Amino acid sequence: MQGELGGGRVPLGVTVHVNEEDGDVNIETPSSLQWWLDFYPLLVDEDKPIECTQLPGETIFVPSGWWHCVLNLETTVAVTQNFVNSENFEFVCLDMAPGYQHKGVCRAGLLALDEGSFEDAKMTMLSTEDSLSNVDLTRKEKRTRFCDPGEDPNCDDAPSWTSINHNLHDKEFSYDINFLMMFLDKERDHYNYLWSSSNCIGQREMREWLWKLWAAKPGMRDLIWKGACLTLNAGKWSECVREICTFHELPLPRDDERLPVGMGSNPVYLIADHVIKLYVEGGLEASLHSLGSELEFNSLLCKVESHLKNHIPGILGSGIVFIENGSYKIVPWDGKGVPNVIASCIFLPENCLGVDFSFSVWSKIHFELRKAGISVTESMGSGVCSRIWPYIITKRCKGKTFAELRDILSWEDTLNLASFLGEQLRNLHLLPFPSFNASTFANTEKEVEDHCVNGLMETIIDKVSLPAEWEFFIKTLTIRKKDVSSRLIKWGDPIPRFLIDTVHEYIPDDFAKFLSISEDGKFYKPCSWIHSDVMDDNIHMEPCSVNSCSTEYNSDADPMHNGHVNGYHVGGKERSWCPSHILDFSDLSIGDPICDLIPIHLDVFRGDPNLLKKFLESYRLPLSRKISQHGSIEGDSKFGQLSYIAMCYCILHEENVLGAIFSLWKELRTAKSWEEVEATVWGDLNNYSGFC
């Protein structure tokens, strides 16, 4: 037997909780039997649900947003499935959008609103897109509750009380997409705010799904566009891109180029022969550092002789796009100096203003250290800063990404890719990095130290003085260790709880030991640029003839440019795919080169030891010195194992790297120790001969 209640009306006895930070919805409800016995008799006729008895072989369709309750009358087997079609597509996209208020209204109607919020939402809907929302966002939890049986809600008749509240709150409610979208928080951006854990897919998967629909179903693009505007703010980013194209005299986006491509953490557009990327992730200051460090790196690369420059897309332009008085405007910016629009909303110390690149890689590392341990919501900028976005224009590569080609590549092509990555990471890690000027950060160093002293910093070694280029790296690891258990618990399955409980016993108290410090206080660990994000969608490959690709990658080879092919026979000639470019240097940092092995081994190679071996054969740089040659400070042999260092970096990573590990190696979900996980995932690193 089933009962169904229309959208926007919460059944008697049910409590809805909506978390303000991530929009997650939790429901407190009695069992079906308890509800039918205790609450159903209290309902007046107009509040009773639609009822029916479902017989074997019959199907019940429950519309989007409808509450429903099922009571099994006998032993029953049932199959249920949620699905998306053209009728509910916009509602699904709306439910995926960040924020909490619209989720509450979808489930609880106007009862989810504070007094006055409905009028605020209507005013927001009528205002211009750049107007700030006046909705009260101070609640950590919103609860809509109906009284329990026997409970006195200041009246003598509980059923009458529920009816009055329904009439009061639902008189203007409509389960209509145009009505519900009024309650979206326009300031909560898809790329910046927390993703609700109740959503059926992740943020990256949502972006990829919409892009695939856009490419595969051109006849449905009007509907897909509406959904993308709800969940991705696609309309706003499209306006930004059009303004950038106009300013730089580029072709305007065609219809099939209106949507951001792929799964990346920032909106990326492919326009003719150009790629336009808007920096959004992490808020304005984080975005400026991402672009600033990338421009600084490109400037350095142009001054040195390195084959790497042949395998990075050329930069054609960069700048700042912002909203002023309701209009989009552009300021060109090459990373040097500070544009007025930035200086007006971000405080920069005077000693940072006189340097070439104010948002340099060292400034970025310092910024990330200051923000370590701060929640995503707390780190967001002001409303003014949320209307300013850095951008970059690069040359579009021919061919396809490895993510698109993975399933059709031959083993020889895949080995060739591993060799290419080894050679290009070698080139990257050999590049000189900017010298660290301690005086630049002298005025803000105390802020970091105070931040560490207040419970976040446990140990900074005092036996030796850390080299300047390593100090921020070690401090960041130490801060991340403080809340590592809570972070792993939040990520949850498939990370085994037993391992979470023992994580502090595994990772060290003193991360400076990773630097191969000898008894005489000397450091033997190399420090280098690190890309941080070499994943399958950041590797580009081009079609080439078979004889131009060999298992050992030749960086001087000139792959043929003949457009998109699928790796099979084209025009009577057998074709293959050669790696050509590494993309997206916005996550650049300086630190331990081992960090670059994590995304390569886990995402690109998917844990294949043969590909890792091929990579290391081309890489050929020392990842450490054998401590036994010099004598470790405390004689702890595990610090001489690359596998241990790599495993610790995985545990402390800001992304859920462990989720990837336990998804690739499902047998490790029953592992008895972190040492067992380490040996399985990274044990082959200990056989690497690239020591010195």
Side-chain angles (χ1 to χ4, degrees):
M1 184 166 65
Q2 297 202 27
E4 299 176 2
L5 189 64
R9 302 180 63 188
V10 179
L12 183 67
V14 173
T15 304
V16 179
H17 306 268
V18 187
N19 185 284
E20 178 184 312
E21 285 195 350
D22 62 6
D24 196 23
V25 176
N26 290 315
I27 309 295
E28 289 182 16
T29 180
S31 67
S32 296
L33 181 60
Q34 181 186 357
W35 191 86
W36 285 104
L37 293 176
D38 295 341
F39 292 91
Y40 181 81
L42 302 178
L43 299 176
V44 294
D45 288 343
E46 65 188 76
D47 288 332
K48 287 183 178 179
I50 301 171
E51 304 169 35
C52 68
T53 300
Q54 184 180 8
L55 301 177
E58 293 183 335
T59 299
I60 294 286
F61 170 73
V62 181
S64 297
W66 282 43
W67 293 85
H68 56 283
C69 175
V70 179
L71 179 64
N72 295 325
L73 302 179
E74 57 188 37
T75 302
T76 302
V77 175
V79 177
T80 64
Q81 182 66 55
N82 294 320
F83 72 99
V84 182
N85 62 10
S86 58
E87 297 299 320
N88 69 355
F89 178 79
E90 290 179 83
F91 293 93
V92 171
C93 291
L94 175 70
D95 202 55
M96 296 286 186
Y100 74 97
Q101 186 169 248
H102 65 284
K103 292 177 181 283
V105 174
C106 286
R107 290 157 177 79
L110 302 186
L111 289 169
L113 301 178
D114 289 331
E115 184 177 353
S117 292
F118 183 34
E119 293 303 319
D120 288 339
K122 288 195 293 186
M123 291 298 295
T124 301
M125 189 70 174
L126 295 174
S127 67
T128 58
E129 183 178 350
D130 61 312
S131 297
L132 292 175
S133 172
N134 295 318
V135 178
D136 178 14
L137 301 179
T138 60
R139 296 171 295 163
K140 287 295 179 188
E141 181 183 76
K142 175 63 188 176
R143 178 174 297 208
T144 59
R145 188 172 185 274
F146 284 68
C147 59
D148 294 328
E151 191 175 59
D152 181 10
N154 300 320
C155 59
D156 296 328
D157 191 334
S160 174
W161 178 80
T162 61
S163 299
I164 291 172
N165 276 270
H166 275 309
N167 291 336
L168 176 65
H169 289 87
D170 293 342
K171 62 182 180 180
E172 294 187 87
F173 179 85
S174 172
Y175 200 80
D176 171 80
I177 193 65
N178 293 318
F179 176 84
L180 296 173
M181 66 185 292
M182 286 197 302
F183 303 99
L184 276 172
D185 184 349
K186 301 297 184 183
E187 295 303 313
R188 294 207 170 208
D189 181 76
H190 166 89
Y191 290 92
N192 275 331
Y193 281 87
L194 294 174
W195 192 247
S196 172
S197 59
S198 65
N199 288 346
C200 60
I201 59 176
Q203 281 169 292
R204 288 172 60 89
E205 290 75 20
M206 183 69 184
R207 295 191 284 267
E208 182 184 37
W209 178 57
L210 288 172
W211 166 244
K212 286 183 175 180
L213 284 175
W214 185 262
K217 298 184 177 295
M220 296 181 62
R221 281 183 179 162
D222 286 345
L223 179 62
I224 298 168
W225 178 255
K226 292 177 182 177
C229 287
L230 290 170
T231 196
L232 299 182
N233 301 104
K236 177 171 67 177
W237 308 129
S238 179
E239 287 297 315
C240 289
V241 168
R242 290 181 65 87
E243 191 67 29
I244 292 169
C245 289
T246 300
F247 183 86
H248 290 275
E249 299 181 346
L250 303 178
L252 293 178
R254 302 192 309 265
D255 182 64
D256 59 340
E257 298 171 336
R258 283 197 298 154
L259 207 63
V261 302
M263 303 169 66
S265 301
N266 293 288
V268 175
Y269 289 80
L270 305 180
I271 312 294
D273 294 329
H274 311 91
V275 178
I276 298 176
K277 175 180 177 179
L278 294 160
Y279 291 82
V280 177
E281 184 184 24
L284 177 58
E285 194 168 354
S287 297
L288 288 167
H289 279 104
S290 292
L291 176 58
S293 59
E294 189 165 354
L295 293 173
E296 179 189 35
F297 175 77
N298 184 74
S299 175
L300 180 147
L301 195 60
C302 292
K303 299 175 183 177
V304 300
E305 290 297 326
S306 174
H307 287 300
L308 181 62
K309 68 175 66 175
N310 300 323
H311 302 287
I312 298 177
I315 296 178
L316 305 177
S318 56
I320 311 292
V321 57
F322 59 100
I323 299 176
E324 184 178 81
N325 298 325
S327 300
Y328 287 91
K329 297 187 177 181
I330 298 286
V331 173
W333 185 53
D334 62 0
K336 297 181 179 180
V338 181
N340 291 335
V341 66
I342 301 302
S344 64
C345 64
I346 289 184
F347 171 76
L348 285 173
E350 289 186 10
N351 50 2
C352 291
L353 297 176
V355 298
D356 276 351
F357 291 90
S358 297
F359 295 92
S360 66
V361 66
W362 284 120
S363 176
K364 176 184 181 181
I365 293 170
H366 186 261
F367 166 76
E368 291 172 347
L369 175 61
R370 287 190 288 115
K371 294 299 182 182
I374 299 178
S375 71
V376 174
T377 304
E378 290 176 308
S379 65
M380 290 298 102
S382 67
V384 174
C385 292
S386 67
R387 303 178 212 168
I388 305 172
W389 306 280
Y391 69 87
I392 192 171
I393 306 170
T394 58
K395 183 178 179 180
R396 183 175 179 178
C397 302
K398 295 183 179 181
K400 297 184 179 182
T401 64
F402 175 60
E404 298 173 276
L405 298 169
R406 180 193 290 274
D407 295 335
I408 67 169
L409 284 185
S410 67
W411 178 243
E412 184 178 7
D413 283 351
T414 308
L415 286 173
N416 182 42
L417 170 64
S419 293
F420 167 83
L421 292 176
E423 182 172 342
Q424 299 316 317
L425 265 293
R426 172 186 173 88
N427 291 333
L428 173 65
H429 294 164
L430 283 173
L431 284 175
F433 51 82
S435 59
F436 176 76
N437 186 353
S439 64
T440 302
F441 306 103
N443 293 338
T444 53
E445 187 65 20
K446 186 178 185 303
E447 175 188 347
V448 176
E449 293 299 337
D450 291 343
H451 177 62
C452 296
V453 169
N454 292 330
L456 288 175
M457 196 67 160
E458 288 186 345
T459 306
I460 293 290
I461 62 167
D462 56 6
K463 297 181 181 179
V464 291
S465 177
L466 285 171
E469 64 268 22
W470 279 112
E471 188 171 355
F472 287 167
F473 183 81
I474 295 299
K475 285 183 178 180
T476 301
L477 291 178
T478 306
I479 291 174
R480 287 181 184 172
K481 183 195 173 190
K482 182 65 179 179
D483 65 346
V484 63
S485 294
S486 59
R487 189 166 64 251
L488 299 190
I489 290 172
K490 181 178 180 180
W491 285 336
D493 186 69
I495 306 172
R497 183 56 195 251
F498 170 76
L499 294 181
I500 295 176
D501 293 339
T502 60
V503 69
H504 280 281
E505 300 171 14
Y506 178 76
I507 54 180
D509 292 328
D510 187 354
F511 293 105
K513 293 180 181 179
F514 287 172
L515 308 188
S516 307
I517 309 171
S518 68
E519 290 179 337
D520 59 6
K522 293 182 179 179
F523 291 81
Y524 296 96
K525 184 79 171 180
C527 183
S528 69
W529 287 98
I530 49 178
H531 183 285
S532 305
D533 194 29
V534 182
M535 301 180 74
D536 60 2
D537 56 348
N538 282 333
I539 302 167
H540 218 274
M541 305 187 74
E542 296 180 346
C544 57
S545 58
V546 171
N547 57 10
S548 70
C549 286
S550 61
T551 303
E552 184 69 26
Y553 182 76
N554 178 7
S555 64
D556 296 324
D558 182 21
M560 298 175 64
H561 301 272
N562 290 318
H564 295 276
V565 295
N566 59 14
Y568 301 132
H569 287 74
V570 178
K573 288 186 177 181
E574 186 179 356
R575 295 288 181 183
S576 186
W577 290 89
C578 293
S580 60
H581 292 85
I582 296 176
L583 312 177
D584 191 2
F585 282 71
S586 60
D587 288 322
L588 275 169
S589 188
I590 293 173
D592 193 334
I594 292 177
C595 294
D596 267 335
L597 268 63
I598 294 174
I600 290 175
H601 185 46
L602 300 182
D603 183 76
V604 181
F605 299 161
R606 292 184 177 173
D608 190 310
N610 297 305
L611 295 177
L612 179 61
K613 180 181 178 181
K614 198 67 178 177
F615 169 90
L616 293 172
E617 288 175 358
S618 292
Y619 182 68
R620 302 192 311 276
L621 289 180
L623 289 169
S624 182
R625 287 184 181 249
K626 291 183 177 178
I627 295 180
S628 59
Q629 293 179 353
H630 309 282
S632 65
I633 289 179
E634 299 182 13
D636 195 339
S637 61
K638 65 183 179 181
F639 291 101
Q641 297 184 13
L642 294 176
S643 61
Y644 176 67
I645 299 174
M647 192 67 234
C648 288
Y649 288 161
C650 289
I651 294 172
L652 296 169
H653 206 284
E654 59 185 348
E655 301 292 339
N656 187 7
V657 170
L658 295 179
I661 287 176
F662 291 106
S663 296
L664 287 170
W665 290 274
K666 293 182 173 57
E667 68 275 13
L668 291 178
R669 298 179 187 182
T670 58
K672 302 300 182 183
S673 67
W674 284 107
E675 286 78 7
E676 182 180 344
V677 180
E678 171 195 329
T680 301
V681 179
W682 296 108
D684 290 322
L685 272 184
N686 296 326
N687 300 321
Y688 178 50
S689 59
F691 288 95
C692 65

